[in-house]
Amino acid sequence: MTPVRPLRTDRLRLAPTTPEDLPFLVELDSDPEVLRHILGRGRTAQEARDYWAPQLPGPMWVGHVDDEPVGWWALWPREGGVTELGYRLARRWWRQGLAVEGARAVLDDGFADPGLDVVRAETMVVNAGSRGVMRRLGMREVRVEVRRWDEPLPGAEQGEVVSELTRQDSRSTLS
Ligand SMILES: CC(C)(COP(=O)(O)OP(=O)(O)OC[C@H]1O[C@@H](n2cnc3c(N)ncnc32)[C@H](O)[C@@H]1OP(=O)(O)O)[C@@H](O)C(=O)NCCC(=O)NCCS
């Protein structure tokens, strides 16, 4: 994986995450709607700090419109040569095409690394927004996995959809 570097899109300035982003990540995770399909409730400030602090800096970007942070995008290296895409936006920025706009930029940057062949993303089947982002990115839904959870979220019985974007497919869908 190449080091995370600053990126720009038409509307977004994507800055590599630093520990200074912690207050924004804590605020984002305090919204129960934002974590609806992830935790089923908002995180307390302490929970969010405990979760995020060890991950900063990391292979993530915080996107800004003008100087306001709107959300984050991540490309996490996983086992087996796979990289996982993630994203999370503050609610007031939803449905404006920003998740796709930021994801295109980070995927483009990720595939600049010749060692990256496949990007994977996972979401609950019932997470229509996240599936919409994956569809717009040209990702293929490769399987649905119904997993066992100690405390399943509503819709967990429908499973998690796993989507992938190959380097080859990215050539036609990202440019
Ligand atoms: C999921 C999320 C990132 C989408 O961000 P966004 O900026 O609103 O997405 P976009 O505007 O780029 O939309 C991408 C596509 O998804 C569709 N979409 C977005 N939200 C949707 C929703 N709630 N229901 C149905 N479709 C939705 C859009 O209409 C668009 O498709 P279209 O161009 O064909 O109309 C945002 O809702 C979010 O941060 N949710 C909470 C965190 C989360 O669930 N992250 C993913 C975890 S796997």
Side-chain angles (χ1 to χ4, degrees), residues 127-165:
N127 191 342
S130 191
R131 288 178 77 181
V133 173
M134 294 175 199
R135 175 177 44 76
R136 287 299 308 277
L137 293 171
M139 301 186 84
R140 288 174 208 258
E141 295 192 347
V142 291
R143 62 183 177 276
V144 170
E145 295 178 0
V146 180
R147 298 174 186 154
R148 276 175 183 276
W149 303 96
D150 288 341
E151 294 175 34
L153 300 183
E157 68 287 350
Q158 294 182 52
E160 320 290 311
V161 60
V162 179
S163 298
E164 289 185 353
L165 182 66

Side-chain angles (χ1 to χ4, degrees), residues 34 87 89 94-97 99-100 122-123 127 129 132 135-136:
V34 168
Y87 36 75
L89 271 64
W94 289 3
R95 305 300 291 255
Q96 298 170 50
V100 169
E122 292 187 18
T123 192
N127 191 342
R135 175 177 44 76
R136 287 299 308 277

Side-chain angles (χ1 to χ4, degrees), residues 14 16 20 33 53 82 99 103 138 143 150:
L14 292 153
E20 277 90 76
E33 272 304 302
V82 173
R143 62 183 177 276
D150 288 341

Side-chain angles (χ1 to χ4, degrees), residues 8-71:
R8 271 200 178 272
T9 69
D10 285 349
R11 289 177 291 175
L12 290 165
R13 178 174 58 82
L14 292 153
T17 47
T18 72
E20 277 90 76
D21 294 313
L22 193 56
F24 170 62
L25 301 182
V26 169
E27 187 195 331
L28 194 52
D29 280 6
S30 72
D31 183 345
E33 272 304 302
V34 168
L35 291 196
R36 184 168 165 214
H37 300 301
I38 295 148
L39 195 63
R41 61 172 177 83
R43 282 194 172 104
T44 67
Q46 190 61 50
E47 283 174 329
R49 276 194 295 272
D50 289 348
Y51 182 80
W52 286 113
Q55 302 196 53
L56 301 174
M60 295 172 62
W61 294 257
V62 168
H64 303 79
V65 169
D66 298 325
D67 278 330
E68 186 175 340
V70 303

